[in-house]
Amino acid sequence: KSEKTIIQDRTMYEGVYVFMQNNRAMGHLTERDFETYMELFEQMMTVVRQPDLMIYQKASVPHLVGNIQKRGREYEQSIKLEYLENLNQRYDDFIYNRYKGRVMTIQKDELDFLHQPKDLAKIIDRIDNNLFGLFANSEFQIPNSEEPIIRNS
């Protein structure tokens, strides 16, 4: 209900459609826990507003592995490739098949917005265009010539 702009790193949708579904499929979540999680999700969705724009940072598994290695966090070093592959498949399914809001996809493998100011500027320009540009509220968006927008709806 806040009137302020809110930027959120992860959404409740990801918790349900990506991480929870992945853990359930891999046998790490009981049916009882799944049902409890879904009940809580449904209750939360009655009071939470859908984001104005979902930004999907799509990365390949090798890119994800590289990030994990760069961070060097002990607890991340044992993450299996299968887990990362499953997450990527579930993210794609969520973004392209389940989520009905506006989405802007960023191909992470091709950008280094942490170290390259030009890459960050491109992303900021695309976000501004999606939220405030001439076609911001239309059914479609004119793609950036350097990187197509996968879907805006």
Side-chain angles (χ1 to χ4, degrees), residues 59-77:
S60 67
V61 171
H63 187 85
L64 296 173
V65 169
N67 285 346
I68 289 168
Q69 290 172 342
K70 284 179 200 172
R71 283 193 297 264
R73 296 176 184 154
E74 182 78 27
Y75 66 92
E76 289 182 332
Q77 301 309 308

Side-chain angles (χ1 to χ4, degrees), residues 13 18 23 41 54 57 60 87 99 124 126 130 132:
Y13 301 102
V18 178
N23 282 309
F41 175 72
M54 175 84 66
Q57 295 185 50
S60 67
L87 287 180
Y99 187 68
I124 292 169
R126 286 187 60 210
N130 270 270
F132 311 112

Side-chain angles (χ1 to χ4, degrees), residues 18-19 22 56 64 82-92:
V18 178
F19 294 100
N22 197 42
Y56 176 31
L64 296 173
E82 176 188 18
Y83 182 78
L84 296 174
E85 290 166 354
N86 288 340
L87 287 180
N88 266 0
Q89 290 171 359
R90 292 186 191 288
Y91 264 111
D92 283 349

